[in-house]
Amino acid sequence: MSEQTHRASLHDPASARVNQPGREEGIVRADAHPVEHERPEDWGWHGETGRWGRVGAVVATLFMLAYLVGNHEGRIEDLWVLGIAAGMVLILVMDWRRRRNAWRAK
């Protein structure tokens, strides 16, 4: 702990030093409770995107393939577009297999 933090905790009556489990020593207000564990749900993350996420991935893949139609003359762009779209399809197939073979499908 730095000297400044140590002095602040000793001289400020509104704060106290606490030992937090699995974390470094912290300084909290006298009326506050130290953070013991933060769950992802506390920050807004609740798991997978579900069915709408998979539908969105299919739509994004179709939009990617729509880039093949255009006024470009080179074929290098087509290879990149097809490669990225193939990667997206591969991810979708892997997700489909994972959900199909999972013990508990979501």
Side-chain angles (χ1 to χ4, degrees):
M1 181 164 45
S2 71
E3 182 63 32
Q4 183 180 7
T5 307
H6 183 67
R7 275 186 277 138
S9 65
L10 292 177
H11 300 296
D12 189 4
S15 65
R17 287 182 12 206
V18 293
N19 288 324
Q20 299 178 12
R23 298 179 135 194
E24 61 187 23
E25 184 179 65
I27 298 176
V28 295
R29 290 190 301 260
D31 60 342
H33 181 61
V35 175
E36 293 181 12
H37 178 67
E38 294 176 338
R39 297 188 47 86
E41 294 86 10
D42 297 341
W43 292 93
W45 177 253
H46 297 289
E48 296 183 4
T49 57
R51 181 173 186 259
W52 287 108
R54 292 185 292 274
V55 169
V58 170
V59 169
T61 305
L62 293 176
F63 271 106
M64 181 62 71
L65 291 173
Y67 284 132
L68 293 172
V69 179
N71 61 357
H72 59 277
E73 296 179 11
R75 293 294 165 217
I76 297 298
E77 306 92 27
D78 291 347
L79 295 176
W80 276 98
V81 168
L82 286 173
I84 293 171
M88 294 168 76
V89 168
L90 179 68
I91 290 171
L92 282 169
V93 168
M94 287 172 36
D95 178 62
W96 175 73
R97 283 199 63 200
R98 180 191 59 84
R99 285 184 298 107
R100 185 172 178 231
N101 295 332
W103 288 33
R104 218 174 12 145
K106 292 185 180 186

